[in-house]
Amino acid sequence: MIDLQRMVAFVAVADHGSFSIAAARLQVSNSHVSKQVSALERELRVKLLQRTTRSLSLTEAGEVFYRRCKAILSEVAEAEQEVLRRQDTPQGILRVTAPANFANVCLPDIVCDFMQQHPGIELELTMSDQFFDLAERSIDVALRIATTPPENVHARMLYRVGWSVVGSAEYFAARRLPQTLAELPAYDCLADNVMSARDVWQFEEADGKRHEIKITPHINCNNSVWLHQCVLRGMGIGLLPDYMTGADLAQKKLIRLLPQYAPLPQRRLYGIYLPNRYLSSKVRLFLDAVEQGLGRIATSA
C-alpha cells in the first residue's frame, strides 16, 4: 500500500515543477520532499521524475501515475469534506437503546423535538432493560438507569433520578397522611420488584441516617408504569421515580409522602457509548437533547 504522504509530495512536485516550491507549499524541508519522492520511486521500482540541473519533468510512467494520484487525492479531499459536513449537519442512522418504562414515559417528546431539529438523522430505538454489547449490536448510545456506570465504556451522567413514596388524593381522601416511616406498612403498598427489593423500602435522612422499612406488598409488579396507574387510581401508595410522577404532583393528583426521607439506592441516568477519540455529533446532540429534556421535566416537577 502506497504511503499517502509520499503521494502528496510527488503530486506537489509535479504540480509546481520544483522541489523547493513543493516543500514551501507543504511547509516541510526540501530534503523531506526529496526523500518522500525517492522512497516512492523505490517502492514502485520505476523512475517518476526526470531531473537535470535546470529542469524537472515527468517520465512516461510518472505522467500515468500523476494522473491517477491527482484523482485519488481529489477523492480523499471530497471524503474529508463529506465527513466534516456530516459533523456540521448530523445525518445517518442513530441506534439507541433505553429501558422500556423510561422510554415510554420520557422519550416521546424528547425524540420528536430532536428529530424535528435534525431531519437528516434516522433513529433506531430498541426498548429493553437488557444491557446489550454495544459493539456487537452496532449501538451508538445506551440510556441506562443505575447506581454506577458500567466499566470499559464512556458514560455521561444525564440526570439524577429522584424517587418518592406517593399516593393519590383520592386514596387519602378518607385516610390521614403518614407521619413517620414506621407507619408506611399500614397502608396498601404497591411494590416494584425490579427497582427495589420485594418487601423492603430503604431511606436516608439528610444527616445520613438510614432506615429499612419492611412492607407486605398489596400489589407486587415488575413494571413501574403499570404501578403508577394503580397509584393514580387510588389502589395504594408506591415508590416511584420523579420523571413518572412530576406532572401528577404538580397537578396535585398525587401527594408526596414523607419528603424529608430520600429513598435508596440513589440512581442516575447515564448515556453510555463506546470509547472513541471522536464522539460523533449525532450522539453528542442526542445526549444533549435528553439531558435538556429531562431538565425541563425536573423543573416542572
Side-chain angles (χ1 to χ4, degrees), residues 77-143:
E78 287 184 17
E80 181 181 11
Q81 289 302 312
E82 176 66 20
V83 169
L84 292 174
R85 282 195 295 271
R86 283 177 174 266
Q87 288 295 94
D88 293 336
T89 307
Q91 53 189 294
I93 297 174
L94 176 65
R95 295 181 176 89
V96 177
T97 180
N101 287 345
F102 170 81
N104 282 323
V105 174
C106 296
L107 287 189
D109 288 342
I110 291 172
V111 165
C112 287
D113 290 344
F114 175 75
M115 298 297 285
Q116 288 174 357
Q117 292 177 30
H118 307 289
I121 291 178
E122 302 172 35
L123 179 68
E124 290 186 6
L125 175 62
T126 300
M127 290 187 282
S128 173
D129 294 326
Q130 180 182 354
F131 189 82
F132 297 117
D133 184 307
L134 303 187
E136 183 180 326
R137 293 291 194 97
S138 298
I139 292 172
D140 295 299
V141 59
L143 300 178

Side-chain angles (χ1 to χ4, degrees), residues 65-272:
F65 191 64
Y66 170 72
R67 289 195 296 271
R68 293 284 187 171
C69 287
K70 287 284 282 188
I72 291 169
L73 293 177
S74 177
E75 287 287 336
V76 170
E78 287 184 17
E80 181 181 11
Q81 289 302 312
E82 176 66 20
V83 169
L84 292 174
R85 282 195 295 271
R86 283 177 174 266
Q87 288 295 94
D88 293 336
T89 307
Q91 53 189 294
I93 297 174
L94 176 65
R95 295 181 176 89
V96 177
T97 180
N101 287 345
F102 170 81
N104 282 323
V105 174
C106 296
L107 287 189
D109 288 342
I110 291 172
V111 165
C112 287
D113 290 344
F114 175 75
M115 298 297 285
Q116 288 174 357
Q117 292 177 30
H118 307 289
I121 291 178
E122 302 172 35
L123 179 68
E124 290 186 6
L125 175 62
T126 300
M127 290 187 282
S128 173
D129 294 326
Q130 180 182 354
F131 189 82
F132 297 117
D133 184 307
L134 303 187
E136 183 180 326
R137 293 291 194 97
S138 298
I139 292 172
D140 295 299
V141 59
L143 300 178
R144 284 292 173 261
I145 296 173
T147 54
T148 57
E151 298 179 351
N152 303 319
V153 292
H154 285 321
R156 173 175 161 184
M157 201 281 282
L158 301 174
Y159 183 68
R160 296 181 185 276
V161 183
W163 292 71
S164 303
V165 180
V166 294
S168 70
E170 176 186 349
Y171 183 76
F172 284 104
R175 296 175 177 85
R176 63 183 288 275
L177 296 175
Q179 303 301 306
T180 66
L181 290 175
E183 295 177 46
L184 292 180
Y187 295 84
D188 299 301
C189 296
L190 313 184
D192 180 346
N193 58 29
V194 173
M195 299 308 291
S196 61
R198 177 186 178 91
D199 57 358
V200 175
W201 285 350
Q202 297 178 312
F203 300 88
E204 184 177 56
E205 296 186 55
D207 61 4
K209 186 177 180 181
R210 297 192 172 192
H211 304 268
E212 284 192 357
I213 304 301
K214 186 173 179 60
I215 62 169
T216 301
H218 183 57
I219 295 177
N220 191 52
C221 180
N222 66 347
N223 187 297
S224 57
V225 171
W226 193 83
L227 284 178
H228 173 231
Q229 292 301 314
C230 289
V231 172
L232 281 173
R233 285 164 171 76
M235 295 189 66
I237 63 174
L239 182 57
L240 295 171
D242 58 2
Y243 62 75
M244 196 173 289
T245 61
D248 299 317
L249 290 168
Q251 296 167 20
K252 298 184 178 180
K253 294 179 181 178
L254 292 179
I255 300 168
R256 181 181 282 118
L257 309 177
L258 305 171
Q260 67 271 34
Y261 297 98
L264 295 174
Q266 296 180 357
R267 300 177 181 87
R268 297 170 176 82
L269 176 75
Y270 293 97
I272 298 167

Side-chain angles (χ1 to χ4, degrees), residues 2 50-51 78 119 137 155 290 297:
I2 295 173
Q50 189 67 48
R51 304 169 179 85
E78 287 184 17
R137 293 291 194 97
V290 173
I297 291 175

Side-chain angles (χ1 to χ4, degrees), residues 19-34:
F19 279 87
S20 59
I21 296 176
R25 294 297 176 89
L26 296 175
Q27 297 183 331
V28 295
S29 66
N30 285 8
S31 62
H32 177 80
V33 174
S34 180

